[in-house]
Amino acid sequence: MLTAIAEVSNNHVYICQEVKNILSDQLLHGDQANPDINNLSDREMQIVRALKEGLSSKEIASELSISLKTVEVHRHNILKKLKLKNTVSLINFINSQAFDI
């Protein structure tokens, strides 16, 4: 947090390491079409269902009795496995599928 504050106070843009990793992975591997939801673990599918219901990460953590950080890691892994950029693209993908999650 201190690093972010220092960067912003020096008129620089701060990007956290997690976002840098995601961006570099996308640049190296590109966005491939046809994400496959079958690549997700059971826990990741639980999180996808909760997101589809409109639950926040904090609500998901409480419902599944896991930490908020664990939910965030699962969300990151879901996006990476499905080759999607963000939660909005994930929800759009889920809603566009002909199956019920």
Side-chain angles (χ1 to χ4, degrees):
M1 181 70 109
L2 295 175
T3 303
I5 293 169
E7 288 292 314
V8 171
S9 68
N10 289 323
N11 294 322
H12 295 117
V13 175
Y14 175 77
I15 301 174
C16 70
Q17 190 60 48
E18 183 178 357
V19 172
K20 288 178 185 177
N21 291 342
I22 292 168
L23 293 174
S24 65
D25 188 52
Q26 287 176 350
L27 286 173
L28 291 173
H29 300 103
D31 285 338
Q32 299 172 355
N34 303 323
D36 186 4
I37 202 150
N38 295 318
N39 292 334
L40 302 181
S41 69
D42 291 338
R43 177 63 91 184
E44 290 167 342
M45 285 301 296
Q46 289 177 317
I47 295 195
V48 167
R49 286 185 198 99
L51 289 169
K52 186 174 181 183
E53 292 174 11
L55 297 179
S56 68
S57 291
K58 188 174 180 180
E59 291 167 326
I60 295 169
S62 176
E63 185 174 295
L64 298 179
S65 300
I66 58 179
S67 74
L68 178 59
K69 183 64 178 174
T70 300
V71 172
E72 291 170 355
V73 168
H74 281 304
R75 286 177 65 154
H76 169 76
N77 291 337
I78 291 165
L79 294 175
K80 187 173 180 179
K81 285 181 180 182
L82 296 179
K83 299 170 184 81
L84 299 170
K85 294 180 182 182
N86 54 43
T87 303
V88 172
S89 60
L90 172 61
I91 298 303
N92 287 337
F93 169 74
I94 292 165
N95 290 332
S96 71
Q97 300 303 300
F99 53 84
D100 188 33
I101 294 180

